[in-house]
Amino acid sequence: MSSATYKILLPISIMVLWMCCIKASRELQENEEIPALMAFGDSILDTGNNNDLISVLKCNFPPYGMDFIGGKPTGRFCDGKVLTDLIAEGLGIKETVPAYLDPNLQSKDLPTGVCFASGGSGLDTLTSSLTSVISMSDQLKNFKEYIGKLKGVVGEEGANKTISNSLFLLSAGNNDIAIIYLDTPSRAFQYDVPTYTSLLVSWTSTFIKDLYGLGVRKIGVLSTLPLGCLPIIRTLHGGPMRFCGDNANRAAQLFNSKLLAEVNSLNSSLPQAKIVYVDVYNPLLDLIKNPVKSGFRVPERSCCGTGLFEAVILCNQLTPFTCDNVSEFVFWDSAHPSERAYRTMTPPILQDLKKSFS
Ligand SMILES: *[C@@H]1O[C@H](CO)[C@@H](O)[C@H](O)[C@H]1NC(C)=O
Ligand SMILES: *[C@@H]1O[C@H](CO)[C@@H](O)[C@H](O)[C@H]1NC(C)=O
Ligand SMILES: *[C@@H]1O[C@H](CO)[C@@H](O)[C@H](O)[C@H]1NC(C)=O
């Protein structure tokens, strides 16, 4: 090679080297801030933990997952990705967050986080027992088991670091209010709404302190959805015009306002912890009230299981009727937003999470 060629090639190779390493060190830095994402609670975050349960609250069959990677039904209560995946993706952690109970889970999945949430679960022990899904205390048990496995993969020090630096998401209260309180008489007979919502918040607080006791330091606590505007609640409680159910929305708002206060109080009382409230109520309500602004056409019906099937939570396995274009629908089934609705809500949530935790 002539010296002239060297003169050209050398700067180029230095530049390539420089670009590669800048990129690598930036990724490393990102991963060190929030190396993993974990999720607890209900179907807003569940990525497939109910698949092997004997429960009606399962969705590992078509048309669920039709917009997921490979069009695969994975047990996500959605046509595609759920918030857990979208937040992990947005934080640069990974594309999808596997369910802890996924039989194909591998050791290499553990250090970047897994999901413990279970569709149909809630803060009230009555909720998970009526829906036959994984209770919050069993989710915590699974998390403890996970810590043991993580230590096997990255060592004790590595596991401690992962637990204390990772972001933990919690979504709970939706099923307690929408299923247990409003649609089964037992709890409503025992407690009025102010008492029940206070109880739910005290159970959330206990759960957060349990996580803290296990070394968790970064927690994002999701509000409930605007429950009265779920297609199923409109059908059951919205009258012939299928308005949003006022009682459900009022109960959700009361719970959320108490949750916000408790989260802020825990944030200041637990040393070294950062615990933030994540509002999903208002962003989703905004999509429902102003759908056209974000390219949606149908905010009040579900894409899957339209009509009579809107009186059941999941779209029916035997009659998997779906709309022509799910992108126009805020709701995928009668209780869960579509992937595009989640995607539309995610950017401001991500911005808040990045501000709080980076
Ligand atoms: C890991 O954390 C536990 C408690 O959270 C502590 O007892 C232990 O000493 C830590 N181990 C290492 C290696 O840092
Ligand atoms: C949470 O606590 C941190 C200090 O750990 C503080 O900077 C932040 O402002 C607190 N957030 C809220 C909403 O109180
Ligand atoms: C489906 O709806 C989305 C959102 O309104 C729109 O952008 C897209 O063009 C539609 N697709 C078809 C095939 O009509």
Side-chain angles (χ1 to χ4, degrees), residues 302-311 315-316 319-322 332-334:
S302 52
C303 168
C304 172
T306 309
L308 273 183
F309 292 110
E310 276 166 329
C315 62
N316 195 296
T319 55
F321 170 80
T322 53
W332 159 247
D333 68 15
S334 68

Side-chain angles (χ1 to χ4, degrees), residues 66-87:
M66 66 182 225
D67 299 309
F68 193 74
I69 302 156
K72 219 174 89 188
T74 55
R76 286 169 172 81
F77 292 77
C78 195
D79 56 311
K81 292 185 175 182
V82 292
L83 274 181
T84 317
D85 305 309
L86 297 175
I87 290 173

Side-chain angles (χ1 to χ4, degrees), residues 156-157 160 214-215:
E156 184 173 326
E157 203 180 327
N160 280 9
L214 292 168

Side-chain angles (χ1 to χ4, degrees), residues 40 123-125 136-137 140 143-144 170 172 197-214 216 219 221 255 259 262-263 265-266 269-270 275:
F40 293 86
L123 300 154
D124 189 338
T125 51
M136 298 305 292
S137 59
L140 207 60
F143 176 51
K144 287 179 192 162
L170 169 64
T197 48
S198 291
L199 267 175
L200 292 178
V201 170
S202 73
W203 291 325
T204 308
S205 189
T206 304
F207 188 80
I208 291 173
K209 287 176 195 155
D210 287 343
L211 286 179
Y212 182 83
L214 292 168
V216 173
I219 309 176
V221 185
F255 169 76
L259 183 67
E262 181 63 20
V263 163
S265 142
L266 288 170
S269 66
L270 297 176
I275 307 168

Side-chain angles (χ1 to χ4, degrees), residues 311-326:
V312 295
I313 296 173
L314 300 179
C315 62
N316 195 296
Q317 191 171 5
L318 301 174
T319 55
F321 170 80
T322 53
C323 60
D324 287 337
N325 186 355
V326 61

Side-chain angles (χ1 to χ4, degrees), residues 260 263-277 356:
L260 170 63
V263 163
N264 285 344
S265 142
L266 288 170
N267 179 62
S268 34
S269 66
L270 297 176
Q272 265 108 50
K274 223 173 221 181
I275 307 168
V276 303
Y277 174 82
S356 302

Side-chain angles (χ1 to χ4, degrees), residues 10-198:
L10 199 63
I12 291 177
S13 58
I14 286 174
M15 212 169 83
V16 168
L17 198 70
W18 181 76
M19 278 177 0
C20 106
C21 297
I22 289 289
K23 192 164 178 289
S25 73
R26 266 184 55 199
E27 267 169 14
L28 198 66
Q29 208 175 13
E30 261 170 21
N31 288 350
E32 252 173 33
E33 276 167 5
I34 307 178
L37 186 76
M38 320 275 178
F40 293 86
D42 58 28
S43 57
I44 305 306
L45 300 175
D46 187 359
T47 57
N49 284 306
N50 287 5
N51 292 357
D52 293 327
L53 298 182
I54 301 171
S55 164
V56 291
L57 289 177
K58 292 166 63 155
C59 59
N60 51 340
F61 47 79
Y64 284 92
M66 66 182 225
D67 299 309
F68 193 74
I69 302 156
K72 219 174 89 188
T74 55
R76 286 169 172 81
F77 292 77
C78 195
D79 56 311
K81 292 185 175 182
V82 292
L83 274 181
T84 317
D85 305 309
L86 297 175
I87 290 173
E89 185 182 86
L91 293 175
I93 297 168
K94 54 183 168 184
E95 288 279 302
T96 59
V97 180
Y100 177 64
L101 298 180
D102 181 345
N104 296 319
L105 191 73
Q106 293 169 13
S107 331
K108 69 173 172 47
D109 298 323
L110 303 183
T112 46
V114 296
C115 172
F116 300 92
S118 168
S121 194
L123 300 154
D124 189 338
T125 51
L126 185 63
T127 306
S128 51
S129 69
L130 282 183
T131 53
S132 308
V133 298
I134 307 162
S135 65
M136 298 305 292
S137 59
D138 282 344
Q139 292 183 27
L140 207 60
K141 250 188 236 158
N142 287 341
F143 176 51
K144 287 179 192 162
E145 186 188 272
Y146 161 86
I147 295 176
K149 290 183 180 172
L150 183 65
K151 284 179 182 167
V153 178
V154 297
E156 184 173 326
E157 203 180 327
N160 280 9
K161 233 170 132 183
T162 302
I163 302 302
S164 59
N165 288 328
S166 299
L167 176 59
F168 286 68
L169 296 177
L170 169 64
S171 165
N174 289 298
N175 297 309
D176 304 300
I177 295 171
I179 300 181
I180 300 308
Y181 195 82
L182 293 171
D183 283 305
T184 49
S186 44
R187 285 298 190 234
F189 191 71
Q190 255 178 307
Y191 304 113
D192 58 13
V193 174
T195 310
Y196 191 61
T197 48
S198 291

